[in-house]
């Protein structure tokens, strides 16, 4: 049922994209069987997820096959003079291996072994397809939402002291080194999530079954539900609405995207030096290229999910999860991609989704229902306040700023308190019996 629902959703998105003259997620994925993939690292991360169901010998064979296929592709491209503009010169091999194991599962496996291998293949393909689905969603938001609500969000952000402007100046001061380090962290969030997921799924090959809940599930659900709010609350971000767009970072970025300038659509060239004016906000027209992907901040939501799932790992994994969360928050603000209130909404959204998935896995009870309902109510209240109370929030920052932080903190506290109670408690050991004492059955203890 899940596979049929996912396929149906992809078909709908494919037709929706075609309506606007754009290739959909299915077309983009099929192209990467032959053409240079958009993200080779993501394809290899997807293959790594698939390999959790394989033995170590099979993993070595799969990795060698993927590398060999990529080398063959590189030789062919070099021979015919094909360029990889806009893509990576590797990754096709990983996709071929994933698809090859799908064929093996259908033709060479039976019973539980076939099901397990198909689950591994499906998990890998879901990660890749989720990325393609997100890209299509972003294109649709730019085509269907000509007006954006950045003035509302920027005005509400005064309650937090305009953190995007503050962090933007700090990142600018770090120059090329600071920007590009953060850019790598920001861009490879999915790969970091795969590392945490691989730790969680490390026992699948031995136990021959998947755990009930893991990070990939949360990642995919956040990516599936989040873009729906982009359609309800379209926002492009401070660097676009109040700055020069990606042109601002062109001189320091090592991977400058080939995106047309959006500076002439902005209210004014204010970011990150001059905070936006406090005035009655209005919807504003924007181009049909820039994604309306700010509310809520899904990068924040994904980083929070990664942080939560890394808490049960070894120390190095916990440190890595903390680093990725902090660096992602700095990047989302410092790059000018998000306002501070976006991040608050992202934290609440992530914990609500995570609570819902954990409640579904363990069985719904009163505590789970109460936590999810509270998180959803706070998230809805945040969006409503950003839309209808931004001027009041800007004019009374010492009231609304603490209230926003308190609302987020209450969800965090509720999540920690509830999920801690869900954890199984270790049975305390009783005191050891003295030597020579006999039990009721007469045996020496």
């Amino acid at each position: 049922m899940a596979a049929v629902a996912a396929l149906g959703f992809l078909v709908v998105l494919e037709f929706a994209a075609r309506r606007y003259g754009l290739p959909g997620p299915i077309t983009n994925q099929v192209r990467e069987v032959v053409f240079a993939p958009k993200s080779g690292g993501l394809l290899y991360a997807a293959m790594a997820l698939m390999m959790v169901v394989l033995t170590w010998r099979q993993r070595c064979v799969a990795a060698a096959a993927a590398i060999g296929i990529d080398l063959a592709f590189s030789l062919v491209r070099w021979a015919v003079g094909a360029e990889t503009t806009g893509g990576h010169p590797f990754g096709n091999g990983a996709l071929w291996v994933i698809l090859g194991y799908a064929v093996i599962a259908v033709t060479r496996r039976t019973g539980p072994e076939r099901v397990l291998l198909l689950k591994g293949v499906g998990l890998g393909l879901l990660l890749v397809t989720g990325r393609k689905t997100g890209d299509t969603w972003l294109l649709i938001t730019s085509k269907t939402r000509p007006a954006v609500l950045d003035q509302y969000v920027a005005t509400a952000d005064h309650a937090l002291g305009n953190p995007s402007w503050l962090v933007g100046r700090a990142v600018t001061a770090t120059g090329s080194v600071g920007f590009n380090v953060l850019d790598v962290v920001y861009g490879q969030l999915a790969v970091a999530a795969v590392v945490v997921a691989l730790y969680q799924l490390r026992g699948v090959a031995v136990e021959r079954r998947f755990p009930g809940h893991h990070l990939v599930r949360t990642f995919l659900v956040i990516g599936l539900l989040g873009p729906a709010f982009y359609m309800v609350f379209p926002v492009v971000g401070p660097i676009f609405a109040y700055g020069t767009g990606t042109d601002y970072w062109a001189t320091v970025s090592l991977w400058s995207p080939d995106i047309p300038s959006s500076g002439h659509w902005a209210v004014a060239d204010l970011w990150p030096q001059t905070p936006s004016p406090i005035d009655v906000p209005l919807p504003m027209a924007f181009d049909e290229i820039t994604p309306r992907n700010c509310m809520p901040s899904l990068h924040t939501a994904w980083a929070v999910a990664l942080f939560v799932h890394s808490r049960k790992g070894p120390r190095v994994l916990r440190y890595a999860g903390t680093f990725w969360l902090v660096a992602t928050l700095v990047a989302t603000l410092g790059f000018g991609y998000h306002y501070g209130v976006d991040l608050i909404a992202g934290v609440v959204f992530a914990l609500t989704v995570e609570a819902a998935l954990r409640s579904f896995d363990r069985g719904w009870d009163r505590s789970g229902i109460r936590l999810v309902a509270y998180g959803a109510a706070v998230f809805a209240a945040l969006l409503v306040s950003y839309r209808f109370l931004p001027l009041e929030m800007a004019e009374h920052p010492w009231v609304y700023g603490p209230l926003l932080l308190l609302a987020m903190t209450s969800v965090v506290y509720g999540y920690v308190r509830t999920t801690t109670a869900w954890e199984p408690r270790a049975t305390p050991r009783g005191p050891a019996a003295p030597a020579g004492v006999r039990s009721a059955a007469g045996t020496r203890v």
Side-chain angles (χ1 to χ4, degrees):
M1 290 179 64
V4 171
L7 180 60
F9 179 69
L10 289 175
V11 171
V12 170
L13 271 185
E14 183 74 25
F15 278 105
R18 292 287 180 176
R19 182 179 178 184
Y20 296 100
L22 303 168
I26 298 176
T27 302
N28 285 330
Q29 191 58 70
V30 171
R31 280 177 55 85
E32 293 190 350
V33 174
V34 177
F35 295 97
K38 183 176 181 180
S39 176
L42 185 67
L43 287 171
Y44 270 92
M47 185 183 73
L49 278 181
M50 183 272 297
M51 291 195 300
V52 298
V53 304
L54 305 179
T55 63
W56 277 109
R57 179 178 178 277
Q58 292 170 334
R59 292 170 185 172
C60 293
V61 172
I67 295 172
I69 293 172
D70 271 336
L71 289 175
F73 266 89
S74 297
L75 288 174
V76 171
R77 290 187 182 119
W78 173 78
V80 301
E83 297 182 356
T84 58
T85 304
H88 289 173
F90 63 94
N92 303 92
L95 182 57
W96 276 58
V97 168
I98 295 173
L99 297 176
Y101 269 100
V103 174
I104 292 174
V106 174
T107 60
R108 305 292 297 274
R109 298 287 190 271
T110 58
E113 288 299 313
R114 171 187 289 177
V115 173
L116 184 66
L117 185 52
L118 285 176
K119 284 183 177 180
V121 170
L123 189 65
L125 288 178
L126 275 175
L127 181 66
V128 179
T129 305
R131 173 68 174 268
K132 300 302 180 187
T133 301
D135 292 342
T136 303
W137 260 117
L138 297 184
L139 290 172
I140 291 176
T141 63
S142 65
K143 299 295 183 182
T144 61
R145 294 296 182 268
V148 297
L149 304 179
D150 279 77
Q151 293 186 26
Y152 293 84
V153 183
T155 303
D157 214 41
H158 281 275
L160 298 176
N162 304 105
S164 180
W165 272 258
L166 178 64
V167 182
R169 291 195 294 272
V171 173
T172 300
T174 64
S176 178
V177 175
F179 173 83
N180 287 291
V181 168
L182 288 175
D183 195 30
V184 171
V185 174
Y186 187 83
Q188 300 303 317
L189 181 59
V191 177
V194 169
V195 173
V196 177
L198 289 176
Y199 174 79
Q200 293 180 319
L201 303 176
R202 66 193 183 282
V204 172
V206 176
E207 299 174 1
R208 313 310 293 167
R209 64 182 181 85
F210 280 85
H213 181 53
H214 49 82
L215 178 57
V216 180
R217 291 178 64 190
T218 306
F219 241 68
L220 292 174
V221 173
I222 287 175
L224 179 65
L225 298 180
F229 296 101
Y230 295 165
M231 306 292 284
V232 176
F233 211 117
V235 182
V236 293
I239 196 173
F240 298 103
Y242 293 95
T244 57
T246 54
D247 291 346
Y248 183 82
W249 300 112
T251 58
V252 297
S253 176
L254 298 178
W255 304 279
S256 298
D258 185 17
I259 300 176
S261 176
S262 61
H264 59 282
W265 290 92
V267 175
D269 185 5
L270 302 176
W271 190 91
Q273 302 302 328
T274 307
S276 61
I278 298 177
D279 202 352
V280 178
L282 296 171
M284 54 183 286
F286 215 78
D287 63 26
E288 295 185 1
I289 299 174
T290 306
R292 282 67 162 143
N293 62 339
C294 284
M295 185 60 68
S297 169
L298 291 197
H299 259 81
T300 298
W302 283 320
V304 168
L306 187 153
F307 173 81
V308 169
H309 280 264
S310 67
R311 292 307 88 195
K312 294 185 179 180
R315 180 179 298 178
V316 64
L317 200 64
R318 297 197 302 271
Y319 286 167
T322 303
F323 165 77
W324 229 272
L325 173 63
V326 174
T328 300
L329 296 180
V330 173
T332 55
L333 291 172
F335 291 171
Y337 295 159
H338 287 280
Y339 304 91
V341 292
D342 303 343
L343 273 61
I344 289 179
V347 172
V348 174
F349 181 71
L351 294 180
T352 303
V353 170
E354 177 70 15
L357 290 174
R358 291 194 62 177
S359 296
F360 176 80
D361 181 54
R362 67 184 297 273
W364 289 95
D365 59 10
R366 181 176 297 178
S367 63
I369 295 173
R370 184 169 56 243
L371 176 60
V372 174
Y374 180 70
V378 171
F379 180 72
L382 290 174
L383 265 61
V384 171
S385 64
Y386 300 161
R387 179 63 176 83
F388 297 104
L389 297 173
L391 197 57
E392 289 78 1
M393 296 170 70
E395 292 174 345
H396 303 89
W398 292 105
V399 175
Y400 285 95
L403 282 177
L404 290 174
L405 295 176
L406 180 62
M408 180 188 71
T409 304
S410 68
V411 175
V412 173
Y413 173 76
Y415 176 84
V416 172
R417 181 178 180 180
T418 303
T419 55
T420 300
W422 290 346
E423 298 295 333
R425 298 181 180 178
T427 303
R429 295 182 178 180
V437 176
R438 293 182 178 274
S439 66
T443 58
R444 185 177 296 274
V445 179

